[in-house]
Amino acid sequence: MKLGILGGGQLARMLALAAYPLGIHTECFDSNPKACASEVTNLRVAEFTDEAALSEFLAEVDCVTFETENIPLSCAEFILKTKPLYPSTKALEVTQDRLYEKYFLKSLDLPTPEFLSVKTEAELIQAVSNLGLPAVLKTRRFGYDGKGQYMIRTPDDISKSWVHLQTQPLILEEFISFKTELSLITARNKNGETCFYPLVQNYHMKGILRSSEAPFNHAELVLEAQKYAIKILDALQYVGVLTIEFFYDGKNLIINEVAPRVHNSGHWTIEGAYTSQFENHLRAIYNLPLGSTEAIGYSYLLNCISEMLPINACLQVPGTHFHMYGKEPQPNRKLGHITLVDTNAERYQNSKKILSGMIST
Amino acid sequence: MKLGILGGGQLARMLALAAYPLGIHTECFDSNPKACASEVTNLRVAEFTDEAALSEFLAEVDCVTFETENIPLSCAEFILKTKPLYPSTKALEVTQDRLYEKYFLKSLDLPTPEFLSVKTEAELIQAVSNLGLPAVLKTRRFGYDGKGQYMIRTPDDISKSWVHLQTQPLILEEFISFKTELSLITARNKNGETCFYPLVQNYHMKGILRSSEAPFNHAELVLEAQKYAIKILDALQYVGVLTIEFFYDGKNLIINEVAPRVHNSGHWTIEGAYTSQFENHLRAIYNLPLGSTEAIGYSYLLNCISEMLPINACLQVPGTHFHMYGKEPQPNRKLGHITLVDTNAERYQNSKKILSGMIST
């Protein structure tokens, strides 16, 4: 078995590492010759639009997946002429464009912030007057880690946001005053077998995921989140891991976005769940029975952003594991993560405090 | 950080996979160009006696470890001229020769079967008359998976065993009528920090480890085993993972052998313990704090010998994980293993029954 992975970043890297024990070889496809998955598996360096390179890649693999939703649909369609692609083109199409994603969620009657498409400054002014302030102007595509977003708090911000983002197709979204952000990681295999990880609580800093905690125990919310997930998975006839990010305003869950892939907020599952999200993604696309998604204990995931934390000090904290991605340090770049797993609540809280004290806020 | 690993089999493979998240790169050194670690890391193909190849290898790495005790001491000494080697040459010397190992254990006043060195058939006859029957004639070196052993039950077996094994230096060992076989996996880092995994119960078939179960809960035996381990670790100023195999006769622990490395009976720790034996070996040799060795639940390890079990049927059993080594099938060759982890005793027993029913006995 050989799996092609579009993209060669840390998600591809952790997929490749999870694949070896299952007897699955991988090959990544990325335009960046330094893509960090290349340390652990083969990397083919080319653009997603390079059909000659794609053809050579497809000759090597028996099916294809991706670590990013920013795959040109033409690339996905080219792949599908010769090899299966999981998750599907439809999943890509819906999740790579915030506007389509919103239409999709609305069509399933799922709660998501109100929104309006924005193509001109006049449309932006009209949209602000319709949705009210504050509101968030976002690029429809390629947003990640808080990039491609502009918060409009006052009428003065309108033209500033337009100047900032106008070169791309935009969407204005109602601002949700949330209490916390949660995510649900799910997997579905080709047989339709579906599983759900516990809800994860996420903490962002400057738009970048800083840390996550699981499980977020709230029986009603868990059921609500799973109900929404089932609608999405069914509508897309989804195969693989799918992640849903929620705003939680203290009463209801509102879907922020959907990622058709393994997710940063699920990295704790490597040590903190009986089966990691990476292994379950692989099991799903090879139509193997899915593994238990139960949490082993309390898990805390801390991203190393811009710089790694010192390994010795981290591992001194009981229950911690260290994950380096092998990337060159750059400001605001995710270079690795630390996972803390403990079954003892008091020791867990204490360890979490020590770890979170290590980061500059 | 780059670690050289002497040997490129499945132990090296699993070490290499555990090394990536820690930011440790690996390079294996093996005479077999098909050594299975080559699927997951670099492999240098040469004999351990090839000093030119060793020099090139040493230029690439910052320290060296091994996955087998069958390393020529001259190779270890050559390495030590330029780079650190963990565990030490002394650990290699003592464990690669059954006779030296026995002398070493005796010198520490540790219980081990009575033994006599055998160089001629006359010495064998004398040794049998001293130790009584049954007794086991073994090669002093290179024995594994039951190879290099001959059980002498009757006087007629004496000359047969001699014909079978005479080309190598031999040792005759008292036969221990054991109730079960246990192993203790330990780790010690350069600071002297030491940890112990739970005792593991091992089941052999035709001399090859067929399955293991952990934890083997018996408070007194655990303490006894750890007491013996501390003596060995201290005497060798040991750095890395060390495994001790015991016979248990229902009353006492008797040391069968000592392996200066990660061990087949510890493969369950990948999913079944908070920190795997592979990660702790790496932490030990890089002098990092050791990780928790606690068992997450009940673990059952089933070796896939001669053939792999079908992945789909295995993963259908709750709590199972699949590990392929990427080796060509051959009779009596270990090709992979299945690990079952469960916290529910009843479900665990049921799953274990299903899994063990899959193997031909």
Side-chain angles (χ1 to χ4, degrees):
Chain A
M1 297 190 282
K2 189 157 181 187
L3 171 65
I5 305 174
L6 300 173
Q10 64 264 27
L11 302 181
R13 178 184 167 107
M14 288 184 273
L15 276 173
L17 289 176
Y20 285 119
L22 294 169
I24 301 169
H25 290 222
T26 53
E27 177 165 320
C28 295
F29 191 106
D30 197 304
S31 60
N32 175 9
K34 287 187 177 173
C36 71
S38 69
E39 282 190 353
V40 310
T41 187
N42 295 326
L43 173 71
R44 191 177 293 267
V45 181
E47 300 289 338
F48 292 142
T49 49
D50 181 343
E51 294 194 348
L54 278 173
S55 293
E56 286 174 32
F57 173 70
L58 291 169
E60 292 289 321
V61 302
D62 47 56
C63 79
V64 180
T65 189
F66 43 85
E67 62 142 24
T68 167
E69 52 274 39
N70 294 320
I71 308 288
L73 291 181
S74 57
C75 169
E77 278 150 16
F78 183 82
I79 288 167
L80 276 173
K81 285 181 200 163
T82 44
K83 294 285 158 79
L85 176 72
Y86 303 110
S88 66
T89 316
K90 172 116 190 256
L92 263 183
E93 191 172 11
V94 158
T95 57
Q96 70 183 202
D97 185 311
R98 286 183 191 276
L99 186 66
Y100 295 161
E101 188 171 290
K102 289 271 186 283
Y103 286 142
F104 171 72
L105 295 172
K106 283 274 178 195
S107 77
L108 298 176
D109 213 19
L110 295 174
T112 187
E114 288 306 318
F115 63 94
L116 285 164
S117 170
V118 167
K119 285 190 219 74
T120 62
E121 191 168 6
E123 280 185 1
L124 174 58
I125 293 163
Q126 183 60 47
V128 168
S129 115
N130 288 0
L131 295 184
L133 289 185
V136 193
L137 187 64
K138 298 180 177 178
T139 59
R140 281 169 53 183
R141 298 196 55 175
F142 305 115
Y144 75 98
D145 286 352
K147 288 174 191 168
Q149 300 200 5
Y150 203 105
M151 170 75 109
I152 305 178
R153 294 183 190 278
T154 67
D156 283 353
D157 291 335
I158 298 176
S159 60
K160 285 184 206 159
S161 73
W162 178 252
V163 169
H164 196 67
L165 297 173
Q166 63 174 317
T167 54
Q168 294 162 78
L170 301 171
I171 180 173
L172 187 74
E173 290 183 18
E174 168 195 16
F175 174 75
I176 302 290
S177 171
F178 57 85
K179 229 175 99 179
T180 189
E181 290 175 275
L182 303 171
S183 58
L184 178 69
I185 297 167
T186 72
R188 184 179 182 277
N189 71 11
K190 281 196 255 179
N191 284 349
E193 187 195 342
T194 302
C195 64
F196 307 95
Y197 285 92
L199 272 182
V200 184
Q201 185 165 21
N202 301 318
Y203 305 88
H204 287 79
M205 221 171 64
K206 297 176 194 160
I208 307 177
L209 184 70
R210 181 80 254 195
S211 64
S212 294
E213 269 193 288
F216 180 80
N217 287 320
H218 186 310
E220 280 169 44
L221 286 189
V222 168
L223 286 179
E224 195 179 339
Q226 292 185 2
K227 192 180 72 183
Y228 297 163
I230 289 169
K231 278 195 174 185
I232 296 172
L233 292 166
D234 283 353
L236 297 172
Q237 283 297 295
Y238 198 86
V239 174
V241 160
L242 175 122
T243 306
I244 308 175
E245 292 181 48
F246 297 99
F247 296 125
Y248 175 51
D249 62 8
K251 278 191 295 190
N252 299 299
L253 290 176
I254 301 116
I255 298 178
N256 175 26
E257 58 183 59
V258 178
R261 52 171 170 80
V262 290
H263 195 261
N264 191 169
S265 68
H267 292 354
W268 62 274
T269 61
I270 296 176
E271 292 93 3
Y274 285 90
T275 315
S276 81
Q277 62 167 349
F278 302 99
E279 182 170 343
N280 264 335
H281 183 67
L282 297 162
R283 290 195 192 196
I285 63 188
Y286 280 95
N287 206 23
L288 295 166
L290 302 176
S292 165
T293 51
E294 214 182 313
I296 286 169
Y298 306 99
S299 283
Y300 177 63
L301 163 77
L302 183 64
N303 271 338
C304 299
I305 300 167
S306 311
E307 57 180 6
M308 285 305 296
L309 290 175
I311 186 167
N312 213 305
C314 285
L315 296 182
Q316 203 75 53
V317 181
T320 51
H321 293 270
F322 199 79
H323 291 264
M324 275 189 82
Y325 303 153
K327 290 159 78 176
E328 308 236 325
Q330 265 186 25
N332 295 327
R333 179 178 266 190
K334 291 173 185 167
L335 302 175
H337 72 264
I338 315 293
T339 304
L340 162 66
V341 181
D342 208 321
T343 49
N344 179 301
E346 196 180 330
R347 193 173 51 195
Y348 168 76
Q349 289 299 342
N350 192 43
S351 298
K352 194 183 102 176
K353 206 170 152 187
I354 299 171
L355 281 177
S356 57
M358 285 187 197
I359 57 169
S360 43
T361 46
Chain B
M1 295 189 281
K2 189 156 182 188
L3 171 65
I5 305 174
L6 301 172
Q10 64 264 29
L11 301 182
R13 178 184 168 108
M14 288 184 273
L15 276 173
L17 289 176
Y20 286 120
L22 294 170
I24 301 169
H25 290 223
T26 53
E27 176 165 321
C28 295
F29 191 107
D30 197 304
S31 60
N32 175 9
K34 289 186 175 174
C36 72
S38 69
E39 282 190 354
V40 310
T41 187
N42 295 326
L43 174 70
R44 190 176 293 267
V45 181
E47 300 289 338
F48 292 142
T49 48
D50 181 343
E51 294 194 348
L54 278 173
S55 292
E56 286 173 31
F57 173 71
L58 291 169
E60 292 289 321
V61 301
D62 47 56
C63 80
V64 180
T65 188
F66 43 84
E67 61 142 24
T68 166
E69 53 274 38
N70 293 321
I71 308 287
L73 291 181
S74 57
C75 169
E77 279 150 16
F78 184 81
I79 288 167
L80 276 173
K81 284 181 201 164
T82 45
K83 294 285 157 80
L85 176 73
Y86 305 108
S88 65
T89 317
K90 173 115 191 258
L92 264 182
E93 190 171 13
V94 159
T95 58
Q96 70 182 201
D97 185 310
R98 287 182 190 278
L99 186 66
Y100 294 160
E101 187 171 291
K102 289 270 186 283
Y103 286 141
F104 171 72
L105 295 172
K106 284 275 179 194
S107 78
L108 297 176
D109 213 20
L110 294 174
T112 188
E114 288 306 317
F115 63 95
L116 285 164
S117 170
V118 166
K119 284 189 218 75
T120 62
E121 191 168 6
E123 280 185 1
L124 174 58
I125 292 163
Q126 183 59 48
V128 168
S129 114
N130 288 0
L131 295 184
L133 288 185
V136 193
L137 188 63
K138 298 180 177 177
T139 59
R140 281 169 52 182
R141 297 197 54 175
F142 304 114
Y144 75 99
D145 287 353
K147 288 174 191 169
Q149 300 202 5
Y150 204 104
M151 170 74 110
I152 305 177
R153 295 182 188 279
T154 67
D156 283 354
D157 292 334
I158 298 175
S159 60
K160 286 183 205 159
S161 73
W162 178 253
V163 169
H164 197 68
L165 297 173
Q166 63 175 315
T167 54
Q168 293 162 77
L170 300 171
I171 180 174
L172 187 74
E173 291 183 17
E174 169 195 17
F175 174 76
I176 302 291
S177 172
F178 56 86
K179 229 175 99 179
T180 188
E181 289 175 275
L182 303 171
S183 58
L184 178 69
I185 296 168
T186 72
R188 183 179 184 277
N189 71 11
K190 281 195 256 179
N191 284 349
E193 187 195 342
T194 302
C195 65
F196 306 96
Y197 285 92
L199 272 182
V200 184
Q201 185 166 22
N202 301 318
Y203 305 88
H204 288 78
M205 220 170 65
K206 297 175 193 160
I208 306 177
L209 185 68
R210 180 79 254 195
S211 64
S212 293
E213 268 193 289
F216 181 80
N217 287 320
H218 187 312
E220 279 170 46
L221 286 190
V222 168
L223 285 179
E224 194 179 340
Q226 292 186 1
K227 191 180 71 182
Y228 297 163
I230 289 168
K231 277 195 177 186
I232 296 172
L233 292 166
D234 283 352
L236 297 172
Q237 282 298 295
Y238 198 85
V239 174
V241 160
L242 175 123
T243 306
I244 308 174
E245 292 181 47
F246 297 98
F247 296 126
Y248 175 51
D249 62 9
K251 279 191 294 189
N252 299 300
L253 289 177
I254 301 116
I255 298 176
N256 175 25
E257 59 182 58
V258 178
R261 54 173 169 80
V262 289
H263 195 262
N264 191 168
S265 68
H267 292 354
W268 63 273
T269 61
I270 296 176
E271 292 93 1
Y274 285 89
T275 315
S276 81
Q277 63 168 345
F278 302 99
E279 181 170 343
N280 264 336
H281 183 67
L282 296 163
R283 291 195 192 196
I285 63 188
Y286 280 95
N287 205 23
L288 295 166
L290 303 176
S292 165
T293 52
E294 214 182 313
I296 286 169
Y298 306 99
S299 285
Y300 177 62
L301 163 77
L302 184 62
N303 272 337
C304 299
I305 301 167
S306 311
E307 58 181 6
M308 283 306 296
L309 291 174
I311 185 168
N312 214 304
C314 286
L315 295 183
Q316 203 75 56
V317 181
T320 50
H321 292 269
F322 200 79
H323 291 264
M324 275 190 81
Y325 303 153
K327 290 157 79 175
E328 309 238 322
Q330 264 186 24
N332 295 327
R333 180 179 266 193
K334 291 174 185 167
L335 303 174
H337 73 266
I338 316 292
T339 303
L340 162 66
V341 182
D342 208 323
T343 48
N344 177 301
E346 196 180 329
R347 192 173 52 194
Y348 168 76
Q349 289 300 338
N350 192 42
S351 298
K352 194 183 103 176
K353 207 170 152 187
I354 299 171
L355 282 177
S356 58
M358 287 187 196
I359 56 168
S360 45
T361 45

